[in-house]
Amino acid sequence: MTSSDDKEKIELIARHVEEIIKLMGEDCEREGLVKTPVRAAKALYHLTSGYRSTSDEVVGQALFSHEGSQIVVVKDIEFYSMCEHHILPFFGKISIGYIPDGKIIGLSKVARLVNLYARRLQVQERLTAQLCTEISRLVGAKGVIVVCDAQHLCMKMRGVEKQDSSTATIDYVGAFAEDPALRAEFMKMIGA
């Protein structure tokens, strides 16, 4: 549900998008562009929705007692984000593993946390680290590991224009930082 504050922000963004389109030399009254500023504003607002929520709100009450202590893995969570340097999309998959210490998190909440941090102006390195830090904080896990593999349109569409490039990032804390065998087990579980 869109609040009146959200509607006002979308209208303001749309006015700025219209000015940008005009500065590029286009006619915003042209049939195909008449509604583009509003559509683009709504898209940008959605793609940055991660600024309007917190990880605690996303997770809510979805933390549960669990006595197990083996690795829990949620792999290949697709995400879409916007590069903060060029405001172009980057997208890919994230795999997250953690070792419970009395608590587990609802599986869908892991994917929602990915969306929360991906739907901000981002860099892949920070996205990976933020997820690692937040899962660790929320679950109180013995260890957390996050692997992100992504393709960046700022590399494909402009600049070096390298179509087959991808970027991989990894972050880990706790038991995963201390034990290379645990990292290797996680990597095997995700097929890396």
Side-chain angles (χ1 to χ4, degrees):
M1 183 172 216
T2 308
S3 71
S4 62
D5 185 49
D6 291 334
K7 287 179 183 175
E8 287 175 24
K9 289 178 182 175
I10 290 168
E11 288 173 13
L12 184 57
I13 293 168
R15 286 197 297 270
H16 288 288
V17 169
E18 182 174 355
E19 289 305 312
I20 290 168
I21 292 170
K22 288 177 183 176
L23 287 169
M24 291 186 301
E26 264 292 358
D27 175 8
C28 286
E29 299 303 315
R30 183 168 63 77
E31 180 183 18
L33 290 176
V34 171
K35 295 183 181 180
T36 297
V38 171
R39 286 191 301 258
K42 287 178 179 178
L44 284 170
Y45 204 67
H46 172 73
L47 293 171
T48 58
S49 62
Y51 291 121
R52 294 178 291 285
S53 189
T54 68
S55 55
D56 291 314
E57 291 169 340
V58 165
V59 171
Q61 302 299 312
L63 294 170
F64 308 100
S65 297
H66 178 68
E67 296 308 315
S69 61
Q70 301 305 310
I71 301 173
V72 175
V73 175
V74 183
K75 71 178 206 170
D76 295 335
I77 305 165
E78 73 273 0
F79 75 92
Y80 300 88
S81 192
M82 299 289 281
C83 164
E84 69 183 36
H85 299 141
H86 303 99
I87 315 212
L88 287 172
F90 70 98
F91 56 92
K93 292 184 178 181
I94 291 176
S95 294
I96 299 172
Y98 69 95
I99 301 171
D101 191 16
K103 281 194 244 178
I104 56 172
I105 185 171
L107 297 176
S108 69
K109 300 305 182 181
V110 175
R112 291 182 189 279
L113 286 169
V114 168
N115 284 346
L116 175 74
Y117 288 101
R119 288 184 181 155
R120 299 174 180 192
L121 297 179
Q122 258 311 356
V123 294
Q124 182 176 335
E125 298 87 344
R126 183 184 317 115
L127 173 61
T128 306
Q130 285 174 328
L131 288 166
C132 190
T133 299
E134 278 305 288
I135 299 273
S136 183
R137 181 186 73 79
L138 290 162
V139 181
K142 293 177 185 174
V144 178
I145 187 167
V146 178
V147 171
C148 179
D149 187 47
Q151 297 179 49
H152 295 250
L153 291 187
C154 59
M155 292 262 307
K156 293 176 180 288
M157 292 178 66
R158 55 158 307 282
V160 295
E161 296 183 12
K162 298 302 177 199
Q163 303 309 306
D164 295 326
S165 68
S166 66
T167 302
T169 51
I170 186 170
D171 200 6
Y172 43 81
V173 295
F176 288 103
E178 298 159 8
D179 188 348
L182 278 176
R183 290 194 302 274
E185 182 180 352
F186 171 78
M187 297 304 272
K188 184 177 178 182
M189 290 174 78
I190 66 169

